Amino acid sequence: MLLTAYVNLTNQTIKIEQTDAEMFNKFIGSRGYAAKLLYDMTGPQVKPFDAENPIIFSTGLLTGTPWPTAARLHVTCKSPLTGVYGYANSGGFFGPALRHAGFDALVITGIASSPQYLLIKPGKIEICDATPLWGKTTHETEQILQQQFPKSRVASIGPAGENKISMASIINDLNRAAARCGVGAVMGSKKLKAIVVQSGNKPAYPDSFRSVVKQVMKKVTTNPYAKNFSRWGTPAVIDPKNAIGDLPARNHQLAQVPFGEQINADAVEKYVIAKRGCYACPIKCSRISKINQGRFKCEVEGPEYETIDALGPMLWNNNMESIIYANLLCNQFGMDTISTGVTIAFAMECFQHGLLNDDELSLEWGDTECIISLIKKIAHRQGIGELLCQGVKKAAAEIGNGAEQFAMHVKGMELPRQEPRVAKAFGLGHGTSNRGADHLYALPTIDIAGHFEAAKKLFPQYLPEFMEVTSEQGKPDLVKFSEAFSAIADSAGICKFSCVETYALYPEDIAEGFSALGVPHTGESLLEASERIVNLERMYNVREGLRKKDDLLPKRFLTEKLKISKNPATDISQQAPLPGEKQLASTDGLLINEEAMLDKYYQLRGWNTDGVPTDEKLKALGLEELISDIASK
């Protein structure tokens, strides 16, 4: 069994213990293990920037092994963006390095008196002075530390984290981001600039495990969906999304753009100079993009789909070079591109309706200079950035006068890049996600990606209507299952592109890997454990006072009907309404009946009508000790 380290930055103490095997196995590692640690360490009295709020870096049983896509790192804390349960997840090589250094988890509490970084070696941790690094970007920080510690892996924060902005991320391997929930701000609040890992030798694995790896590797490399991501990366989804109305634009006033060809996979490919994959990844979906000249001259890993939409169509920006450059800035400052783009879109729509102005910036849709300037101002809390760096929920409350209707968030976290009125399963998943609006908490792709074989295997009772993306039939069942499957992937430490996204692998495949490593499981037992994780995370939020009302999507998706064009390149001439123009017609089009789906989802989960797990459900999952936390609210 590996180790869990407890680092207190206030009193500069380090305690390294053997990981509690019973707890680790009950919650199957990484995400589940960290959720249990967070639950036990923080109650409602602990605020996100308190010394008692831990930031937990965790790895899974498969992280750093030869298992395909076994590269994932989990970062857990009480979120400064939402005020409740939060986490972020990252790929690259930092997670495997931490695992090879012998650690299941780093649990970091306290607040240092001056900037610090952690130096981790196999079984050892040192606290070091980071004063010379404070104020530097993530790229500068990593380059300096890697010069000092060759062959190390670095995770760091930039100015956004130092300034404790609510959308601050943690960047590892220069461009891989633990992006969501403001985890970088928690790291900054502790004056922890970076973590450096000098890993040991890769461990040996039994022949039985290598045999399973060989089998599942073949399933992944021959999967047609994985092949498509390997060829084009995630920008491959832009054209089909634009065609069906699942490409959010102008802060979700629209869901299609007439300039799809300027931002699609072919448009990205013009700038690609190399492909890149994370540790043990045969898919290699990432791209290195380079702009050789002009005002946006740069080189960066990306952009991937979520970033392209957040910094492109959501802002009515068709300039691919500006999107690539904005991606680089977000990485260097340490900012979540999703929340950043959605927050800027919120500001632009507030300006559109006369609720917000700025003396220095236009706030006009598609103004690339404004977009770049806002990223800088948000990261440094300058000017209007002081307002926007809180995220859309808090900024809307401060602006008032109806600005809340333009704040696209759930539980305080900005929506990811799906259109809930079209992609109904994703819409429900955005609402039910325990870390706030999120596409990866459930990642219910079966219908929208056309996984017919998976649908036949898992949901035959709902076919054929189930495979219609805009149908709500069976979507609560899909979200419940895919939330569980996603929890398995996160806890095992593997990328969802090998499983929940592509269905190259199923829970029973992952169970074979666990069993071959001496932790016996079946697909069914992993799904039961993952249900335990989801209920534990739910109970964290219940203890904080969250209920059904906090699962509801913004009213735009419930009341403003969406029109879909068959030919967006030629039909969207009116675009979105500008000040003084007539609003989009709402006499026909699509909505999402989320409340009805929520009721069904709660029923399937064994929760009451307000979204609270019942005593019976908690007892069945071995979480009976949490029952008293329901009574206290």
Side-chain angles (χ1 to χ4, degrees):
M1 181 57 67
L2 299 187
L3 305 170
T4 296
Y6 296 86
V7 179
N8 188 311
L9 294 171
T10 299
N11 56 31
Q12 301 284 284
T13 60
I14 300 168
K15 182 173 64 173
I16 299 176
E17 300 177 347
Q18 278 199 339
T19 298
D20 184 330
E22 182 178 354
M23 184 193 297
F24 189 88
N25 293 335
K26 183 176 181 179
F27 295 96
I28 58 174
S30 199
R31 173 177 148 188
Y33 178 52
K36 176 59 173 161
L37 289 169
L38 185 72
Y39 194 101
D40 291 345
M41 295 178 72
T42 61
Q45 77 284 358
V46 175
K47 306 306 178 187
F49 293 147
D50 287 352
E52 295 80 9
N53 183 28
I55 186 163
I56 304 167
F57 293 76
S58 59
T59 62
L61 185 64
L62 297 179
T63 305
T65 73
W67 190 273
T69 75
R72 305 306 290 189
L73 169 77
H74 220 72
V75 184
T76 306
C77 61
K78 178 173 276 191
S79 165
L81 184 62
T82 66
V84 293
Y85 171 72
Y87 71 75
N89 192 282
S90 180
F93 294 82
F94 182 87
L98 184 60
R99 187 77 176 173
H100 294 163
F103 292 96
D104 289 308
L106 306 176
V107 184
I108 304 164
T109 57
I111 298 174
S113 59
S114 61
Q116 312 274 289
Y117 70 88
L118 299 184
L119 175 61
I120 299 176
K121 301 177 182 180
K124 299 179 181 180
I125 300 177
E126 300 174 30
I127 302 174
C128 307
D129 178 38
T131 303
L133 300 172
W134 203 253
K136 296 189 180 299
T137 69
T138 60
H139 287 191
E140 291 168 337
T141 300
E142 182 164 339
Q143 288 162 358
I144 291 169
L145 289 171
Q146 284 192 328
Q147 286 177 359
Q148 188 173 353
F149 304 103
K151 298 183 179 179
S152 64
R153 296 292 176 180
V154 178
S156 68
I157 58 171
E162 295 174 3
N163 292 324
K164 296 186 287 188
I165 76 161
S166 295
M167 60 199 74
S169 61
I170 300 168
I171 302 293
N172 60 275
D173 300 299
L174 291 179
N175 293 293
R176 305 303 302 184
R180 309 230 70 194
C181 291
V183 293
V186 175
M187 197 164 158
S189 74
K190 298 183 180 303
K191 291 189 172 64
L192 180 61
K193 179 64 175 177
I195 300 175
V196 184
V197 179
Q198 291 185 307
S199 60
N201 296 325
K202 297 178 184 179
Y205 300 101
D207 291 341
S208 58
F209 179 70
R210 292 190 174 278
S211 177
V212 175
V213 167
K214 184 177 180 180
Q215 296 170 22
V216 296
M217 185 68 78
K218 183 176 181 180
K219 291 182 179 181
V220 173
T221 56
T222 59
N223 180 273
Y225 298 92
K227 285 183 176 180
N228 192 43
F229 284 125
S230 180
R231 171 64 184 88
W232 294 104
T234 58
V237 305
I238 289 174
D239 283 339
K241 278 177 167 286
N242 199 32
I244 68 171
D246 187 33
L247 191 69
R250 288 208 182 201
N251 205 31
H252 288 273
Q253 294 179 75
L254 295 173
Q256 295 170 298
V257 298
F259 50 81
E261 291 184 355
Q262 295 171 256
I263 59 166
N264 63 10
D266 285 326
V268 174
E269 199 74 8
K270 297 175 183 177
Y271 301 96
V272 171
I273 60 172
K275 290 174 57 177
R276 182 168 293 175
C278 299
Y279 183 93
C281 183
I283 300 174
K284 294 180 172 58
C285 70
S286 187
R287 301 291 185 273
I288 306 299
S289 298
K290 185 176 183 179
I291 300 171
N292 291 313
Q293 58 186 359
R295 58 179 176 154
F296 299 126
K297 181 179 179 181
C298 68
E299 183 177 322
V300 67
E301 184 175 349
E304 48 77 48
Y305 163 69
E306 295 279 330
T307 296
I308 292 172
D309 185 81
L311 300 173
M314 270 293 276
L315 310 179
W316 210 245
N317 176 21
N318 63 359
N319 186 318
M320 177 53 72
E321 292 193 355
S322 74
I323 295 171
I324 294 171
Y325 183 70
N327 189 171
L328 174 69
L329 287 182
C330 286
N331 289 358
Q332 290 179 333
F333 294 149
M335 296 169 63
D336 173 19
T337 57
I338 297 174
S339 284
T340 299
V342 176
T343 300
I344 294 173
F346 161 78
M348 288 180 168
E349 188 168 8
C350 283
F351 170 76
Q352 173 186 328
H353 292 276
L355 299 179
L356 187 66
N357 286 284
D358 187 75
D359 292 338
E360 299 179 357
L361 304 174
S362 74
L363 300 184
E364 293 278 6
W365 294 111
D367 183 340
T368 57
E369 292 301 327
C370 176
I371 293 166
I372 298 303
S373 294
L374 279 174
I375 291 172
K376 296 176 181 178
K377 287 180 178 291
I378 290 171
H380 295 92
R381 287 182 173 267
Q382 295 174 346
I384 195 173
E386 183 67 41
L387 168 71
L388 299 178
C389 75
Q390 308 171 84
V392 299
K393 180 181 180 180
K394 295 174 184 175
E398 189 169 326
I399 295 169
N401 297 313
E404 292 84 356
Q405 65 184 307
F406 309 130
M408 300 296 111
H409 75 89
V410 175
K411 301 179 181 71
M413 189 154 82
E414 289 74 21
L415 259 70
R417 306 298 75 239
Q418 294 80 39
E419 171 50 60
R421 288 165 291 190
V422 172
K424 299 296 178 66
F426 270 100
L428 177 61
H430 291 171
T432 60
S433 167
N434 283 319
R435 66 166 174 164
D438 181 40
H439 61 302
L440 294 173
Y441 192 86
L443 198 58
T445 62
I446 289 180
D447 58 343
I448 199 165
H451 292 303
F452 288 95
E453 292 305 314
K456 291 177 185 177
K457 177 178 180 177
L458 298 169
F459 306 105
Q461 71 274 29
Y462 295 122
L463 293 175
E465 185 179 352
F466 178 85
M467 294 303 289
E468 171 53 51
V469 174
T470 58
S471 170
E472 296 171 4
Q473 180 71 26
K475 301 309 163 65
D477 303 66
L478 172 56
V479 169
K480 177 180 181 292
F481 173 80
S482 55
E483 282 180 342
F485 198 178
S486 292
I488 292 172
D490 288 338
S491 298
I494 63 175
C495 177
K496 291 167 188 169
F497 276 23
S498 65
C499 47
V500 194
E501 175 74 45
T502 61
Y503 281 84
L505 304 179
Y506 286 83
E508 52 265 32
D509 295 301
I510 299 169
E512 284 192 50
F514 272 60
S515 299
L517 288 175
V519 184
H521 267 292
T522 63
E524 290 75 15
S525 68
L526 283 181
L527 286 168
E528 180 181 350
S530 66
E531 187 174 1
R532 183 178 300 117
I533 294 167
V534 171
N535 278 266
L536 173 69
E537 295 166 342
R538 185 69 177 192
M539 280 301 301
Y540 189 98
N541 288 346
V542 165
R543 188 174 61 178
E544 296 285 334
L546 271 61
R547 295 296 187 270
K548 179 180 180 178
K549 61 181 175 55
D550 301 291
D551 289 339
L552 293 175
L553 294 165
K555 288 184 179 179
R556 169 158 287 168
F557 307 113
L558 310 177
T559 62
E560 296 181 23
K561 293 184 178 182
L562 179 71
K563 286 185 173 181
I564 303 300
S565 169
K566 291 184 179 180
N567 300 293
T570 57
D571 291 352
I572 307 178
S573 56
Q574 182 68 17
Q575 303 177 2
L578 295 172
E581 292 183 357
K582 185 179 180 181
Q583 296 294 307
L584 291 173
S586 59
T587 55
D588 57 9
L590 296 170
L591 293 173
I592 179 170
N593 187 4
E594 190 199 3
E595 286 209 57
M597 288 198 291
L598 272 178
D599 291 341
K600 175 63 174 176
Y601 169 85
Y602 292 160
Q603 181 183 9
L604 290 168
R605 279 231 169 268
W607 298 350
N608 69 21
T609 55
D610 210 17
V612 177
T614 62
D615 293 2
E616 292 74 19
K617 171 56 67 174
L618 294 176
K619 289 176 182 177
L621 294 172
L623 297 173
E624 55 273 0
E625 73 274 12
L626 308 186
I627 293 174
S628 61
D629 290 328
I630 300 175
S632 67
K633 283 294 175 182

